[in-house]
Short mmCIF file of all heavy atoms in Angstrom, two decimals:
data_model
loop_
_atom_site.label_atom_id
_atom_site.label_comp_id
_atom_site.label_asym_id
_atom_site.label_seq_id
_atom_site.Cartn_x
_atom_site.Cartn_y
_atom_site.Cartn_z
N LYS A 299 -12.36 -8.75 12.09
CA LYS A 299 -10.91 -8.89 12.00
C LYS A 299 -10.38 -8.06 10.85
O LYS A 299 -10.99 -8.00 9.78
CB LYS A 299 -10.52 -10.36 11.82
CG LYS A 299 -9.02 -10.59 11.90
CD LYS A 299 -8.67 -12.07 11.91
CE LYS A 299 -7.16 -12.28 11.99
NZ LYS A 299 -6.80 -13.71 12.01
N THR A 300 -9.24 -7.43 11.06
CA THR A 300 -8.66 -6.54 10.06
C THR A 300 -7.52 -7.23 9.31
O THR A 300 -6.72 -7.97 9.90
CB THR A 300 -8.13 -5.25 10.73
OG1 THR A 300 -9.22 -4.59 11.38
CG2 THR A 300 -7.52 -4.31 9.71
N TYR A 301 -7.46 -6.96 8.00
CA TYR A 301 -6.45 -7.56 7.13
C TYR A 301 -5.82 -6.48 6.25
O TYR A 301 -6.50 -5.55 5.80
CB TYR A 301 -7.06 -8.63 6.22
CG TYR A 301 -7.75 -9.76 6.96
CD1 TYR A 301 -9.11 -9.66 7.29
CD2 TYR A 301 -7.06 -10.92 7.30
CE1 TYR A 301 -9.75 -10.69 7.96
CE2 TYR A 301 -7.71 -11.95 7.97
CZ TYR A 301 -9.05 -11.83 8.29
OH TYR A 301 -9.67 -12.85 8.95
N GLY A 302 -4.52 -6.64 5.98
CA GLY A 302 -3.80 -5.71 5.11
C GLY A 302 -3.61 -6.27 3.72
O GLY A 302 -4.26 -7.25 3.32
N ASP A 303 -2.70 -5.63 2.97
CA ASP A 303 -2.51 -6.05 1.58
C ASP A 303 -1.92 -7.46 1.50
O ASP A 303 -1.42 -8.01 2.47
CB ASP A 303 -1.63 -5.05 0.82
CG ASP A 303 -0.23 -4.92 1.40
OD1 ASP A 303 0.06 -5.55 2.44
OD2 ASP A 303 0.56 -4.17 0.81
N LYS A 304 -2.05 -8.05 0.32
CA LYS A 304 -1.67 -9.43 0.04
C LYS A 304 -2.47 -10.41 0.89
O LYS A 304 -1.95 -11.39 1.44
CB LYS A 304 -0.17 -9.64 0.19
CG LYS A 304 0.68 -8.76 -0.74
CD LYS A 304 2.15 -9.11 -0.62
CE LYS A 304 3.00 -8.19 -1.50
NZ LYS A 304 3.04 -6.82 -0.99
N THR A 305 -3.76 -10.14 0.96
CA THR A 305 -4.71 -11.03 1.61
C THR A 305 -5.54 -11.73 0.54
O THR A 305 -5.96 -11.10 -0.43
CB THR A 305 -5.65 -10.26 2.55
OG1 THR A 305 -4.90 -9.79 3.68
CG2 THR A 305 -6.80 -11.12 3.05
N ALA A 306 -5.77 -13.04 0.71
CA ALA A 306 -6.55 -13.81 -0.25
C ALA A 306 -7.80 -14.36 0.42
O ALA A 306 -7.78 -14.76 1.59
CB ALA A 306 -5.72 -14.95 -0.83
N ILE A 307 -8.90 -14.39 -0.34
CA ILE A 307 -10.19 -14.86 0.17
C ILE A 307 -10.76 -15.90 -0.79
O ILE A 307 -10.81 -15.66 -2.00
CB ILE A 307 -11.19 -13.69 0.32
CG1 ILE A 307 -10.62 -12.62 1.26
CG2 ILE A 307 -12.55 -14.19 0.81
CD1 ILE A 307 -11.47 -11.36 1.33
N GLU A 308 -11.18 -17.03 -0.25
CA GLU A 308 -11.86 -18.05 -1.04
C GLU A 308 -13.34 -18.04 -0.71
O GLU A 308 -13.73 -18.08 0.46
CB GLU A 308 -11.29 -19.44 -0.74
CG GLU A 308 -12.00 -20.56 -1.49
CD GLU A 308 -11.69 -21.93 -0.93
OE1 GLU A 308 -12.16 -22.23 0.21
OE2 GLU A 308 -10.99 -22.70 -1.60
N LEU A 309 -14.18 -18.01 -1.74
CA LEU A 309 -15.63 -18.05 -1.58
C LEU A 309 -16.18 -19.23 -2.38
O LEU A 309 -16.09 -19.26 -3.61
CB LEU A 309 -16.26 -16.74 -2.08
CG LEU A 309 -15.85 -15.47 -1.31
CD1 LEU A 309 -16.24 -14.23 -2.10
CD2 LEU A 309 -16.49 -15.46 0.06
N LEU A 310 -16.72 -20.22 -1.67
CA LEU A 310 -17.31 -21.39 -2.30
C LEU A 310 -18.79 -21.14 -2.60
O LEU A 310 -19.42 -20.27 -1.98
CB LEU A 310 -17.18 -22.60 -1.38
CG LEU A 310 -15.77 -23.00 -0.96
CD1 LEU A 310 -15.82 -24.16 0.04
CD2 LEU A 310 -14.93 -23.36 -2.17
N PRO A 311 -19.38 -21.91 -3.52
CA PRO A 311 -20.82 -21.76 -3.77
C PRO A 311 -21.67 -21.96 -2.51
O PRO A 311 -22.76 -21.40 -2.40
CB PRO A 311 -21.09 -22.84 -4.82
CG PRO A 311 -19.81 -22.99 -5.55
CD PRO A 311 -18.75 -22.81 -4.50
N SER A 312 -21.16 -22.74 -1.57
CA SER A 312 -21.90 -23.01 -0.33
C SER A 312 -21.77 -21.89 0.70
O SER A 312 -22.47 -21.90 1.72
CB SER A 312 -21.42 -24.33 0.29
OG SER A 312 -20.02 -24.28 0.54
N ASP A 313 -20.88 -20.93 0.47
CA ASP A 313 -20.68 -19.82 1.41
C ASP A 313 -21.75 -18.76 1.24
O ASP A 313 -22.12 -18.40 0.11
CB ASP A 313 -19.30 -19.18 1.21
CG ASP A 313 -18.16 -20.07 1.64
OD1 ASP A 313 -18.35 -20.83 2.62
OD2 ASP A 313 -17.08 -20.00 1.02
N GLY A 314 -22.25 -18.26 2.35
CA GLY A 314 -23.24 -17.20 2.31
C GLY A 314 -22.61 -15.85 2.06
O GLY A 314 -21.39 -15.70 2.04
N PRO A 315 -23.44 -14.82 1.87
CA PRO A 315 -22.93 -13.46 1.65
C PRO A 315 -22.13 -12.96 2.85
O PRO A 315 -22.46 -13.23 4.00
CB PRO A 315 -24.21 -12.64 1.46
CG PRO A 315 -25.26 -13.62 1.08
CD PRO A 315 -24.92 -14.89 1.80
N VAL A 316 -21.06 -12.23 2.54
CA VAL A 316 -20.17 -11.68 3.57
C VAL A 316 -19.92 -10.21 3.26
O VAL A 316 -19.73 -9.83 2.11
CB VAL A 316 -18.82 -12.44 3.59
CG1 VAL A 316 -17.86 -11.79 4.59
CG2 VAL A 316 -19.03 -13.91 3.94
N ASP A 317 -19.94 -9.38 4.31
CA ASP A 317 -19.60 -7.96 4.15
C ASP A 317 -18.10 -7.75 4.32
O ASP A 317 -17.50 -8.22 5.30
CB ASP A 317 -20.34 -7.12 5.19
CG ASP A 317 -21.80 -6.89 4.82
OD1 ASP A 317 -22.13 -6.96 3.61
OD2 ASP A 317 -22.60 -6.64 5.74
N ILE A 318 -17.51 -7.05 3.37
CA ILE A 318 -16.09 -6.68 3.43
C ILE A 318 -16.03 -5.15 3.47
O ILE A 318 -16.37 -4.49 2.49
CB ILE A 318 -15.32 -7.21 2.22
CG1 ILE A 318 -15.37 -8.74 2.18
CG2 ILE A 318 -13.86 -6.72 2.24
CD1 ILE A 318 -14.73 -9.36 0.94
N LYS A 319 -15.63 -4.61 4.61
CA LYS A 319 -15.56 -3.16 4.77
C LYS A 319 -14.15 -2.67 4.50
O LYS A 319 -13.18 -3.20 5.06
CB LYS A 319 -15.98 -2.74 6.17
CG LYS A 319 -15.95 -1.22 6.36
CD LYS A 319 -16.33 -0.80 7.77
CE LYS A 319 -16.23 0.71 7.93
NZ LYS A 319 -16.56 1.16 9.30
N ALA A 320 -14.02 -1.68 3.65
CA ALA A 320 -12.71 -1.11 3.32
C ALA A 320 -12.38 0.03 4.28
O ALA A 320 -13.11 1.03 4.34
CB ALA A 320 -12.70 -0.62 1.88
N ASN A 321 -11.30 -0.13 5.02
CA ASN A 321 -10.85 0.94 5.92
C ASN A 321 -10.07 2.01 5.17
O ASN A 321 -9.91 3.13 5.65
CB ASN A 321 -10.00 0.34 7.04
CG ASN A 321 -10.75 -0.75 7.79
OD1 ASN A 321 -11.91 -0.57 8.18
ND2 ASN A 321 -10.11 -1.89 7.97
N GLU A 322 -9.56 1.61 4.00
CA GLU A 322 -8.94 2.53 3.05
C GLU A 322 -9.22 1.96 1.66
O GLU A 322 -9.72 0.84 1.55
CB GLU A 322 -7.43 2.64 3.30
CG GLU A 322 -6.69 1.34 3.19
CD GLU A 322 -5.23 1.44 3.59
OE1 GLU A 322 -4.95 1.85 4.73
OE2 GLU A 322 -4.37 1.08 2.75
N GLU A 323 -8.98 2.72 0.62
CA GLU A 323 -9.26 2.20 -0.71
C GLU A 323 -8.57 0.85 -0.90
O GLU A 323 -7.37 0.72 -0.65
CB GLU A 323 -8.80 3.17 -1.79
CG GLU A 323 -9.15 2.68 -3.19
CD GLU A 323 -8.70 3.61 -4.29
OE1 GLU A 323 -9.47 4.52 -4.65
OE2 GLU A 323 -7.55 3.45 -4.78
N SER A 324 -9.33 -0.14 -1.33
CA SER A 324 -8.82 -1.51 -1.42
C SER A 324 -9.08 -2.07 -2.81
O SER A 324 -10.16 -1.90 -3.38
CB SER A 324 -9.48 -2.40 -0.36
OG SER A 324 -9.20 -1.91 0.94
N LEU A 325 -8.06 -2.75 -3.36
CA LEU A 325 -8.12 -3.30 -4.71
C LEU A 325 -8.01 -4.82 -4.65
O LEU A 325 -7.03 -5.36 -4.13
CB LEU A 325 -6.99 -2.73 -5.56
CG LEU A 325 -6.94 -3.17 -7.02
CD1 LEU A 325 -8.15 -2.63 -7.78
CD2 LEU A 325 -5.64 -2.70 -7.68
#
C-alpha cells in the first residue's frame, strides 16, 4: 500500500520488522 506525506506509523515492541520502501526521498 502506498502512502504520501503526513503519514504516521506506530511500532510496538511486539511488532516484527517491516520494510518501508521509499518511492521518492522520504523524511
Side-chain angles (χ1 to χ4, degrees):
K299 187 172 180 180
T300 300
Y301 302 89
D303 62 357
K304 300 185 182 71
T305 290
I307 302 173
E308 178 195 70
L309 297 166
L310 301 176
S312 58
D313 290 326
V316 176
D317 282 335
I318 299 175
K319 181 181 177 181
N321 304 313
E322 59 187 57
E323 183 180 271
S324 300
L325 182 66

